Structure formats: C-alpha cells, structure tokens
Amino acid sequence: MTSHPRAASDRDRFAADTERFRRELLAHCYRMVGSAHDAEDLVQETYLRAWRSYAGFEGRASMRTWLYRIATNVCLTALGSQRPRMVPSGLAGPYDGPERAPSPLAQEQVSWLEPLPDVWIAPPQDDPEAVTVARESVRLALIASLQHLPARQRAILILRDVLAFSAAETAEVLDTTTAAVKSGLQRARARLDELGPEPDTLLEPADPRARALLDGYIAAFERSDASLLEHVLRADATLEATPFGDWQAGRVACIHILDSYVLGAPGDWRMVATTANGQPAALTYRRDPDGVLRGYGAVVLAATATGISRVIAFHHRSLAAAFGLPDVLADPVEPLRSGQ
C-alpha cells in the first residue's frame, strides 16, 4: 500500500517543523520525571499527540511553545500516578549507626532517580553556550531537588528558571494565569532553598582536572586500592548508591564502606569513562563468579576544583545499553569510550 502524497507531505512538513526540538524536549521531560527511559517514552507520546493535532495548529504560539505545552501536560499526567524519584540523600540523613553491609531497599519502597547519558541530549558542539546550558540544567543535584516539588510547581520552575520562558508563556503552557505562575514560582524557589545550600561549582567534564579525578576514581576500583581515593575525594565528600537507603558523609566514611564491602580484589571491577547529567561518569562492570565482566551500573561524580564532592552510583545492569555499551565487556578491557 502506498501513502497518499498529501499525507506524506504533511509528515515531512511536521518532521521539519518539530524534529529540531526533540532533544531539548527529552531533557525537559527528564527534568520533570527523573527517569531517562520514562522521558523517552513521554517524548514519543508528545510527538504522537502533536502529530494528531498538527492540522489544527494555527501558529498563535510558536512551534516550540506549542510542543512544550504538549510535553509538559504529558508529564503532568504521568506524574499523577507515579511516586517522586529519589536518591538516598533525599530520604534521610547520612548513616551513622553501627557498622553494617549495604542493604538494598525493596522495590516497592521507593522509586529511584536515573542518570541521563549526555549523548541523548547533546546540542551541536559548534554552539558552546548551548552545550553549557544543556549540561548545567540536568546536573544531578538539580534533578534530585526538583523531585521534591509538587508537579505543577516543578513545571513552573523549569519553564521559568531553566528554560527562561516568560510568565505569560508559562501561563499559556500550563493553561493558567500569570499570577498563578508567579505565586507557584515563589513557592518553588522557597522550597528549593529549604532543601540545602547552593551546590558546588562543578568542573566541565572536558576539564583536565575533572578527567584526572575520574581516572583516579576508576583506578581505585580497578586496582582495588582504597588509598587512591584519598587523592580524589574531598574531606566532605558524600557517597550514595541506589538501591541502598544508607549513604555516607565524609571521606573517611566513604572510603571505609568502599574498602570493606565494595572494592573486592584487583580485577573485580572495570569502568568505562563517559559523561552523564553534564558530569564525569563511568559505566561499571563487575566480574561474576564465572569470571565474566558484566554490566553493573553507572557512577556519576560531582567534580570540583578541590576534588570530588559527591559520588552517586546507580546499580542497574540495563544502564550499559542506555549508554551504547555492551552488557558483557571484553577482558582484557578494550579502550572503549562513550560520550566523549
């Protein structure tokens, strides 16, 4: 069966009008829901709804504003039936009880935040300002904080403070009044202020200092040498990992838990450097009882001029595929690099 010429022409015109916004819409949906895979599904739903309504688009708003209106409402609908996605530090303070091995929380107890591969949303490299904005707007500290806001306040803050929509444009996207937008923004900003101090100034992933910190962290795991962590972690560093509820504050506590329960023997771990959430990161592989290096998850570092201030590890085997890497890593390790 052949497509009707006019229908094919409409699809081509729709693609020409809308496809250039796909990556920024993916970042928007990720900020809203805290899950890269959910965001991907929501963008697909956004484009499906946009295509169905395309014939009635009258141009009273810009194409970008129109798509953001659809995407934001798709996200708000999805959030109505979902729990906020968290990291361990969003659940309770650092663990300071008697020593114990990390114990995962049951899946039904909490929904966990997911990392976002930079390559999913990377703008053209010839636009350095856009690259910087894209990275800063998906940093893990921001995404984790946003999950504490009610869904509509979250949308208002993202549209106003991240995407720089005007109050009138934001009201149009959310089908509300500018007064409601201003009030919601005030409450959202106040709530973020309550959640903690301003985040550290992070190094760009391409900064040689950031790469040196990442390489040092990787070396500590691959050599099973906890002393190497002394050189890369700040004294006030924090360590957390999903799906574990306990997390550690302070370099001494971080190194102790890693040395006692995680590092294992030399060769147990291999890591592949990448970037995620605008930060240096690595895909992690752990040797199984058969001696095979299998995907274990990912680790994202907050790299500062004075060292690594925060480590968040995500223990999900499916992350290797999300970053375009194999589930099983060749041994000896080939020089794979993702997202560079």
Side-chain angles (χ1 to χ4, degrees):
M1 179 181 294
T2 59
S3 299
H4 190 282
R6 183 172 181 179
S9 175
D10 286 348
R11 284 196 296 272
D12 290 344
R13 187 160 55 90
F14 175 76
D17 285 345
T18 64
E19 278 302 313
R20 65 185 184 276
F21 300 110
R22 184 177 289 271
R23 289 188 176 223
E24 64 174 280
L25 288 170
L26 178 59
H28 177 58
C29 292
Y30 174 73
R31 295 181 199 105
M32 286 291 295
V33 302
S35 162
H37 291 96
D38 285 357
E40 198 173 32
D41 291 342
L42 293 169
V43 169
Q44 290 292 94
E45 176 64 20
T46 295
Y47 273 80
L48 179 60
R49 293 191 187 186
W51 166 245
R52 289 172 177 169
S53 304
Y54 184 61
F57 176 66
E58 299 176 349
R60 286 178 293 183
S62 70
M63 178 63 66
R64 182 172 182 263
T65 299
W66 182 65
L67 287 171
Y68 269 99
R69 177 172 187 166
I70 297 171
T72 301
N73 282 287
V74 166
C75 290
L76 291 173
T77 299
L79 288 169
S81 59
Q82 295 179 3
R83 293 175 297 187
R85 289 184 174 269
M86 295 291 173
V87 292
S89 58
L91 301 175
Y95 181 71
D96 61 357
E99 182 170 333
R100 64 185 183 189
S103 178
L105 296 180
Q107 187 173 0
E108 61 271 14
Q109 289 182 268
V110 62
S111 294
W112 296 111
L113 193 71
E114 295 177 2
L116 177 69
D118 278 5
V119 293
W120 284 26
I121 63 166
Q125 291 297 315
D126 59 1
D127 188 350
E129 183 178 352
V131 171
T132 299
V133 171
R135 285 174 175 162
E136 290 179 351
S137 68
V138 293
R139 295 269 168 82
L140 276 176
L142 172 62
I143 302 303
S145 295
L146 289 173
Q147 308 312 303
H148 291 270
L149 299 178
R152 286 184 69 84
Q153 283 186 26
R154 192 183 314 173
I156 289 171
L157 187 136
I158 292 169
L159 291 167
R160 292 286 285 117
D161 285 0
V162 176
L163 296 168
F165 277 49
S166 69
E169 289 170 325
T170 302
E172 182 178 351
V173 167
L174 295 172
D175 194 23
T176 188
T177 65
T178 56
V181 166
K182 292 176 181 179
S183 175
L185 181 61
Q186 186 177 26
R187 291 196 297 273
R189 287 172 174 169
R191 177 62 178 130
L192 288 189
D193 288 342
E194 292 173 0
L195 291 173
E198 286 294 315
D200 292 307
T201 299
L202 301 187
L203 300 174
E204 289 293 315
D207 189 307
R209 295 170 295 175
R211 186 52 191 262
L213 292 170
L214 175 61
D215 287 347
Y217 191 86
I218 289 174
F221 271 73
E222 294 188 344
R223 301 176 192 174
S224 186
D225 187 347
S227 68
L228 296 177
L229 295 170
E230 290 276 355
H231 303 291
V232 296
L233 296 180
R234 288 190 348 188
D236 62 349
T238 61
L239 170 70
E240 48 194 309
T242 66
F244 304 100
D246 294 345
W247 61 282
Q248 286 69 44
R251 180 169 56 207
V252 171
C254 295
I255 292 176
H256 177 73
I257 200 77
L258 291 173
D259 194 27
S260 300
Y261 301 105
V262 182
L263 290 182
D268 281 355
W269 292 93
R270 290 291 185 270
M271 294 189 178
V272 180
T274 186
T275 58
N277 295 86
Q279 299 170 224
L283 268 294
T284 58
Y285 289 80
R286 190 170 192 177
R287 198 175 300 279
D288 67 15
D290 296 327
V292 177
L293 288 166
R294 297 191 182 278
Y296 192 78
V299 60
V300 181
L301 309 180
T304 76
T306 55
I308 297 170
S309 64
R310 187 180 192 186
V311 178
I312 304 184
F314 301 89
H315 294 168
H316 303 287
R317 287 185 55 182
S318 63
L319 286 175
F323 283 80
L325 292 174
D327 179 59
V328 174
L329 195 62
D331 192 13
V333 178
E334 299 173 358
L336 292 172
R337 286 295 182 264
S338 169
Q340 299 298 304

